Amino acid sequence: MPSPLRELLELMTQSVDALERVCEEKGTPIPDLDAPFTPQSEAFRKDPAAAEATKVIVAAAHHICAIVSRPTDQLYTFVAGPTRAAAVRTCLEANVSEILREAGPSGMHVKDIAEKNGHDAEKLARFLRYLATGHIFREIAPDVFAHNRVSSMLDTHKPSEEVIAKPESKYDNTRGVAAQVSHHLDLTFKAASQAWETLADPQTRLSNEPEDAPFARAFPADKTLWNLLERDAHARNRFDLTMIASAAAQPPDAIFRAFAWETLPADALVVEVGGGMGTSAFPLAARFPRLRLVVQDLPGAVATAAPLWAARLPAALASGRVLLQPHDCFAPQPHAPAVFLLKMILHDWPDAHAARILARLRAAARADTVLVLVDCLVPYACRAAPAPAPDGAPAVPGAADFQAPAPLLANYGAANEFVYIMDMMMHMLFNAQERTVPQFTRLLQSEGWGVRAVHRTHEGNGIFLQSIEAVPI
C-alpha cells in the first residue's frame, strides 16, 4: 500500500494536471504570485473543476507539510499567529502598500520607504522580510521590497501622501479588503488576546451573553462591538467598509441560489431581517420586480441604506415596492410574509439570542411562510455519516457535508480554514458562532421551525454562503 505521503502527492499531481488542463482550455492563466492582484487573475476559479482542483492542491500541500514538518514547527504556525498579525498590521497602517505600489515592480529600498512614512527602516525591514518569507510582499534584493499578488490586497489605491497625511480617513471611500484587514487586526486581535481569560473566569466561561465575549474584557467601557461602533466614527466607517468588502467578495448570484425565488407569486412579500444596506435585496429587487421587499435593520443602518437605494433603484423606493424599515429583530415582527430572509445574521448571536430572533419570526409566520437562512455551514474535520432523520422521516436534501477524497481531511483542511477563522472571530467579538447543520437543525426546531432543505454549491466546499430552507412545524 502506498504511504499517505505518496497518496497525497498523487492527489496533488492529478489536481495540478486538471487545473492546468482547465486553464488551457478556458484561456484563463494560473495566477502569477509575483504580480499584483487583478480581478481577472481569479477567472480560473469560476470553473468548478478548477475550483475543486485548487482546493485539493491547497489541502494536500498543507497535509504534506504537517506530516514532514517537525511537530514544533507545525505547532508554531499557530503559536506565531500574533507575530504574523502584528507584522501585517504594521505594514498596513504604516502605508507600506501604497508606497510600494507607487514604486512599481522594481520595488523600493526600506530606507526610502522609511523616509516617506517616518518609521524606523531597520524595524520595517524585519517586518517586511518576515512577511516576504510567508509570500506576502517580495524581497527582490537585500532590503529592497516590492508587492506581490497577496500584499497588493492591502493597498487602498490612494496616493501615499494622502494616507500618510490623513491616516484617520485612510479607508474612506475604498472598496478593497484593506479596511477589513485593519478592522480584524485591531478590534478582533485585541479581543482574541482575552479569549482564555474569559474562558477561565467562572463568571463568564459558561455565559451565553454577548456582553461576556472576550471583546468585553478587551473593551470594558463598551462591552459590545455595537456600542463601540456607536461612539467611534472611524471604527464604524471601517466596519461598514468591511461589510461592503465582504459582500463584494461573494458570488454575485449567491442569493439567487439560496431559494427558488421565481416560484413566488406576484406581489409576494419578502422580509430581509437585519438586512443592513440591502446587499441581498438589491439583486432580488432588480431581477424579480414583481416581488415586494422589506429591508429591516436598526435606524442607523436604514439611514445609511436610504441614499444607496435612492441612487441605485429609486423607482423601487418611490413605488413602495421596496420598504426600508427600522426594526429591532428582538421585537415582535410586524409582517407575515411569504419569505423571511436572514443573511449572515444568526452567526452574530449566541444560541439563546438567536432563538429569540427565530421565535419572533415563528410567531408572525403564516402556515406557508418559508424561512431562508444564508450562512456558513461548518463541516466536521472527520468523516461522519449524516445524522439520521427523527422518527423515520426522509433525509433532508443537502444536509450531508461534501467530503474531500482520502487521505485528505474530510473538510479539505486548510483549504477551507476560513470558516473556522470566522467561527473564532464570532466567538471573540460576540460570544457567538458559526454552526454545523445539526446545530442549526436543533436551534430551529427549538423555536418551531423544521429544516426542509439545505441548498449547497461546490463553491467554498458547500460552506460559505449556503442556505437552509425551513418551514413552520
Side-chain angles (χ1 to χ4, degrees):
M1 292 292 291
S3 70
L5 197 60
R6 283 288 176 189
E7 290 181 298
L8 290 164
L9 182 60
E10 181 62 24
L11 275 176
M12 183 183 290
T13 300
Q14 292 172 357
S15 297
V16 169
D17 289 343
L19 178 60
E20 290 180 336
R21 184 168 55 252
V22 170
C23 288
E24 184 176 355
E25 291 171 355
K26 302 288 185 179
T28 53
I30 295 172
D32 179 357
L33 179 59
D34 289 343
F37 168 84
T38 64
Q40 294 80 8
S41 68
E42 286 292 290
F44 76 99
R45 217 177 297 274
K46 295 179 181 179
D47 186 281
E52 174 66 14
T54 301
K55 285 186 294 189
V56 172
I57 292 167
V58 173
H62 281 268
H63 201 149
I64 289 171
C65 287
I67 292 172
V68 301
S69 295
R70 290 177 297 192
T72 50
D73 291 347
Q74 182 67 16
L75 179 62
Y76 263 75
T77 61
F78 278 79
V79 174
T83 63
R84 292 181 174 190
V88 174
R89 189 183 183 201
T90 296
C91 294
L92 171 68
E93 305 295 6
N95 308 306
V96 171
S97 296
E98 288 75 20
I99 294 169
L100 288 183
R101 184 235 310 143
E102 293 168 350
S106 60
M108 182 178 284
H109 195 282
V110 71
K111 289 183 178 179
D112 297 318
I113 299 173
E115 192 171 309
K116 284 179 172 289
N117 64 14
H119 287 275
D120 185 299
E122 290 291 336
K123 292 176 182 176
L124 277 180
R126 290 160 59 193
F127 283 121
L128 281 164
R129 187 168 296 115
Y130 181 30
L131 293 177
T133 302
H135 302 291
I136 303 175
F137 297 105
R138 294 184 293 143
E139 187 170 19
I140 58 178
D143 292 321
V144 177
F145 295 91
H147 266 309
N148 70 355
R149 173 176 166 80
V150 182
S151 63
S152 66
M153 302 301 293
L154 302 174
D155 186 6
T156 62
H157 296 281
K158 288 185 172 183
S160 63
E161 289 186 3
E162 178 183 335
V163 294
I164 291 168
K166 299 178 180 178
E168 70 283 353
S169 58
K170 173 175 180 173
Y171 303 107
D172 292 358
N173 303 312
T174 60
R175 292 273 176 177
V177 302
Q180 187 176 24
V181 172
S182 178
H183 164 76
H184 287 303
L185 291 181
D186 180 8
L187 303 184
T188 309
F189 182 83
K190 291 170 182 174
S193 70
Q194 298 297 314
W196 170 245
E197 286 73 14
T198 304
L199 290 171
D201 188 341
Q203 299 298 314
T204 54
R205 67 170 54 167
L206 300 179
S207 172
N208 202 28
E209 295 298 323
E211 292 81 3
D212 289 328
F215 182 93
R217 194 173 290 261
F219 298 91
D222 296 299
K223 284 292 188 183
T224 70
L225 175 62
W226 311 122
N227 290 339
L228 183 147
L229 297 180
E230 283 292 319
R231 69 163 178 82
D232 188 327
H234 171 68
R236 176 81 236 187
N237 179 60
R238 188 177 59 181
F239 179 80
D240 289 343
L241 292 168
T242 296
M243 296 300 100
I244 291 172
S246 297
Q250 298 164 15
D253 61 343
I255 194 62
F256 303 133
R257 295 177 296 188
F259 178 72
W261 305 102
E262 66 279 1
T263 64
L264 296 175
D267 291 325
L269 179 63
V270 176
V271 175
E272 184 177 11
V273 180
M277 291 176 283
T279 54
S280 296
F282 273 128
L284 290 178
R287 180 173 289 194
F288 302 104
R290 58 196 181 82
L291 297 179
R292 293 181 296 127
L293 295 108
V294 175
V295 180
Q296 297 178 336
D297 214 309
L298 296 177
V302 171
T304 303
L308 292 176
W309 279 87
R312 291 178 58 178
L313 282 176
L317 281 183
S319 67
R321 186 166 64 86
V322 173
L323 173 66
L324 307 180
Q325 183 179 57
H327 178 70
D328 184 338
C329 61
F330 294 102
Q333 172 60 234
H335 301 285
V339 176
F340 282 122
L341 170 63
L342 282 76
K343 180 181 176 185
M344 305 295 280
I345 299 300
L346 295 188
H347 77 157
D348 287 340
W349 298 101
D351 279 354
H353 294 261
R356 286 169 53 197
I357 296 172
L358 293 172
R360 291 298 193 187
L361 303 182
R362 181 64 181 86
R366 308 186 315 235
D368 61 347
T369 293
V370 178
L371 172 65
V372 177
L373 303 178
V374 180
D375 229 310
C376 292
L377 300 180
V378 180
Y380 298 108
C382 63
R383 298 187 182 276
D391 303 323
V396 174
D401 292 334
F402 294 145
Q403 295 193 351
L408 296 176
L409 292 175
N411 62 355
Y412 287 81
N416 277 329
E417 186 181 15
F418 183 70
V419 70
Y420 305 98
I421 294 172
M422 287 277 289
D423 187 31
M424 293 295 100
M425 286 179 173
M426 293 304 103
H427 170 69
M428 308 304 177
L429 294 174
F430 307 115
N431 204 13
Q433 66 181 104
E434 307 294 347
R435 294 175 173 89
T436 64
V437 170
Q439 286 173 326
F440 268 119
T441 300
R442 291 192 295 269
L443 178 61
L444 287 161
Q445 287 179 343
S446 73
E447 301 305 326
W449 295 97
V451 175
R452 184 165 72 182
V454 178
H455 302 293
R456 296 179 184 265
T457 70
H458 280 276
E459 289 184 44
N461 186 32
I463 291 173
F464 185 58
L465 288 185
Q466 311 300 306
S467 71
I468 291 180
E469 187 177 322
V471 293
I473 53 175

